[in-house]
Amino acid sequence: MKIVVNKPAPQDIVVPATISYIDEAKTEEAIANAKNSVKPLYRYDSNVEIEVQSNIANFINSILSIKEDSTITNNKKLELIKERCNDDPEISNILMEIKTDRLNVLKNFLTNELNSLYKKGIRDSEVSDAIKSIQRDAESLGLTGNDEVLALWISQKFVKPNFVFDAEATNKAIQDAIKNVKPVQVVLQEGTKIIEKGHIVTEDDIKMLQKIGIYKAFNYATVGLLFFLSLIESALAFSIIDEKKKKFQKILEYFALLTLVLLSSYFLGNVSIYLIPVLLFLIVMNEFFSFKDVLISIIIFILLLLPFLTQPLLFLILFSAISVPIVYYINMTKKISSYFISGIIGGISVTFTVFFVNKNFYLPNQLSFSNSFYSFLNFAFSPIIAIAVVYIFEHIFNEATLLRLLELNDLNTPLLKEMSIKAPGTFAHSLFVANISSQAAEAINANSILTRVGALYHDIGKLLYPFYFTENQADVPNIHNTIAPSLSKVIILNHVKDGIELAKRYRLPDDIIHFIETHHGKSVMMYFYLKAKESDTNVSMEDFRYPGPLPDTKETVIVSLADAVEAASKSLDKEDIDYRKIEELVNRLIDDRIKQGELSNAEITFSELEKVKVSFVKSLLSIYHKRERYPNGK
């Protein structure tokens, strides 16, 4: 059905179901009336009267004091009076000539007048009226000539309001009045005829149809504007609000994904709006961005689709209501199987929901069934297609998505396989660190799978020279006993740089490389430093310090601490180990890192660090717990 302004309506247009909407014009009118109904509020200041009375009395007393001073000349007296009158020559001359008793009368008159006026209250807008009242009373009491002039001048100089306009209280009253205004709601009952066939359609008719969601005009300019505004909004959301690393790459990823899904939506939407891949978009978004970003993105995505939809509000509610819980489920479970489970559950849920809604709109059975079938295909296959899209995007942009992390977590990956053969001690150490790190991450709701994979790969740099590291020297003498500490330092130090280069060669995600470069932070290789100091007392500790950077996320902090804890736990006497000793070891190591500033850049709280400590102790105790000896010493 095509509706054109200034053309006859091709058929009767009725409301398909009871619809309510907010009449914005009438609502704005009600808000304006509420604002106007609030009168200005004033704040009473009891100190004003005292201040004004005191200022007037002090002024007149100072004039009297000058006039009665016999030690100064009249010229000097006039000069001093002028100073108190702001160099007003007329008033200064009057005060110089007026008699003392008249000044006292004037002071008493002003005191009585102000007492009366301040009891009634003087507002900002009433100061001039108060001065006029003083002038009228002065005339009625016979204060004429110079007395009247002085009364008027002193009043103008000193009188001020004791009821001050309270902008804050008035504004609060206005806001309260606005809050009490209920939106003016218009209800159109099902079957209500809005436009009759043959009626010449007006702009107001179009606006009415658009407001209730029955009509949507296709406008390329509007679509283009919505598209670019949404992209700008997205760029701000992801590059500024979230303060993500690799900001440009994240924006590029978002634009690429959005463009891909919008193109798909355009072609699929021509078949049926129920094939528009909202769920696919959100699942892929969830892999590359946070769940909060997913919630923002669904709004942006639907805004871009509005020009193509005839029932946008219904589409938004229906697909969002089903898609968001599915994405949340995938986000929380972090399992490949959750994709397939969500597809089955989502497909069944959306099928029955769409059929019910379509029948509620009295659509024919055939159309209701076809819409339900398209919805089932959409939700059932979106998670499966999402896996393929994520796989492509994660390798193009080298991102550590859930799917990529699960792939890297496989101990049979080339790098880990090589480590298990060439550096079995380092492999065992990395596996140990991965286990206790992932448990600690779960304790503080950090990303446990990212933490585990980061721990597995944090020491891959030792692959190049495995026998220079003690964990790989089971049957080999310690090489460092035969070389200079300075050379040992270089070899040990380079395992970080070598690990980064190796990770880049194997195209590990940047998030994993970040674990490699931060797991030692800027700590000092104390063993080799002390050994070097035995032969050279002038050796600098800075020469034996790792270059950093410091760990700056919860996950990198956990791995850095777990690495140190695992290494230190090797020194524990396995025959004499208990909870207290493990707890002391963990507390000492973590507290030392804090004192040395190793956690100064980390986004982790002291409360979370305490949970990490408890998790480490629990993990170590389960590994090093004492075992009962069997008979015959077995």
Side-chain angles (χ1 to χ4, degrees), residues 40-270:
L41 299 178
Y42 292 85
R43 183 182 69 255
Y44 173 69
D45 189 346
S46 60
N47 294 322
V48 169
E49 180 179 359
I50 299 171
E51 179 188 344
V52 171
Q53 295 277 24
S54 176
N55 289 340
I56 292 174
N58 290 339
F59 173 77
I60 293 176
N61 290 337
S62 67
I63 299 300
L64 288 172
S65 176
I66 293 170
K67 291 170 65 67
E68 293 172 357
D69 191 346
S70 59
T71 62
I72 57 177
T73 64
N74 287 339
N75 288 336
K76 183 63 176 176
K77 289 179 181 180
L78 183 58
E79 182 181 337
L80 293 173
I81 289 173
K82 279 184 178 181
E83 289 178 5
R84 284 158 177 76
C85 297
N86 298 327
D87 292 327
D88 187 324
E90 180 184 358
I91 299 300
S92 301
N93 289 329
I94 292 175
L95 288 170
M96 186 68 187
E97 295 173 2
I98 196 170
K99 294 182 179 180
T100 301
D101 60 332
R102 296 307 300 168
L103 274 177
N104 286 323
V105 169
L106 183 61
K107 181 170 69 172
N108 293 333
F109 165 73
L110 290 173
T111 299
N112 293 332
E113 283 293 307
L114 291 174
N115 283 338
S116 175
L117 288 170
Y118 278 124
K119 282 181 182 178
K120 298 176 183 177
I122 303 175
R123 291 173 172 78
D124 294 338
S125 59
E126 298 172 343
V127 172
S128 59
D129 292 336
I131 293 172
K132 288 178 182 178
S133 175
I134 293 173
Q135 186 177 15
R136 287 195 299 270
D137 289 346
E139 292 174 356
S140 64
L141 292 174
L143 294 176
T144 58
N146 289 340
D147 293 347
E148 184 182 355
V149 171
L150 283 177
L152 180 61
W153 186 86
I154 292 173
S155 299
Q156 291 173 336
K157 180 177 176 62
F158 292 105
V159 173
K160 60 182 182 179
N162 63 339
F163 278 92
V164 182
F165 174 68
D166 193 331
E168 183 178 349
T170 303
N171 186 59
K172 185 179 181 304
I174 291 174
Q175 296 305 318
D176 289 342
I178 292 173
K179 288 179 183 178
N180 291 328
V181 174
K182 295 182 179 179
V184 179
Q185 194 170 41
V186 177
V187 179
L188 297 176
Q189 296 295 332
E190 179 184 340
T192 302
K193 185 184 294 184
I194 302 175
I195 297 177
E196 291 186 351
K197 180 179 180 180
H199 168 76
I200 303 300
V201 179
T202 65
E203 290 283 357
D204 290 337
D205 292 331
I206 295 295
K207 290 179 181 178
M208 170 67 71
L209 295 175
Q210 289 176 332
K211 187 182 291 292
I212 62 179
I214 293 178
Y215 173 82
K216 202 67 187 177
F218 185 89
N219 185 295
Y220 286 102
T222 303
V223 174
L225 180 61
L226 276 173
F227 180 78
F228 286 108
L229 286 177
S230 298
L231 293 185
I232 293 171
E233 182 181 352
S234 304
L236 292 173
F238 298 123
S239 66
I240 297 175
I241 297 175
D242 283 350
E243 300 180 354
K244 293 184 185 297
K245 297 176 181 177
K246 304 180 295 182
K247 294 179 181 179
F248 178 76
Q249 179 178 320
K250 299 305 289 186
I251 296 172
L252 187 62
E253 290 172 8
Y254 182 76
F255 288 177
L257 174 59
L258 190 61
T259 302
L260 176 65
V261 178
L262 283 175
L263 288 174
S264 303
S265 300
Y266 176 76
F267 292 108
L268 292 171
N270 289 331

Side-chain angles (χ1 to χ4, degrees), residues 423-488:
T426 301
F427 178 78
H429 158 76
S430 299
L431 193 57
F432 188 107
V433 173
N435 289 334
I436 66 173
S437 294
S438 59
Q439 292 174 21
E442 288 181 1
I444 62 171
N445 294 321
N447 191 330
S448 59
I449 183 66
L450 174 62
T451 305
R452 178 178 177 80
V453 174
L456 285 174
Y457 290 86
H458 79 282
D459 264 345
I460 58 173
K462 294 180 180 180
L463 270 174
L464 298 184
Y465 304 100
F467 296 112
Y468 281 89
F469 300 90
T470 55
E471 66 265 25
N472 300 311
Q473 296 172 352
D475 300 318
V476 180
N478 191 338
I479 300 174
H480 295 287
N481 293 333
T482 62
I483 61 177
S486 57
L487 180 57
S488 296

Side-chain angles (χ1 to χ4, degrees), residues 500-517:
I500 294 172
E501 292 176 357
L502 198 58
K504 289 180 178 178
R505 190 187 313 162
Y506 279 81
R507 291 204 80 236
L508 292 185
D510 291 339
D511 288 340
I512 302 303
I513 294 176
H514 195 48
F515 284 90
I516 299 172
E517 64 186 0

Side-chain angles (χ1 to χ4, degrees), residues 302-316:
I302 296 300
L303 280 175
L304 295 177
L305 293 178
L306 287 181
F308 305 100
L309 306 178
T310 56
Q311 297 180 27
L313 182 59
L314 179 63
F315 184 85
L316 173 63

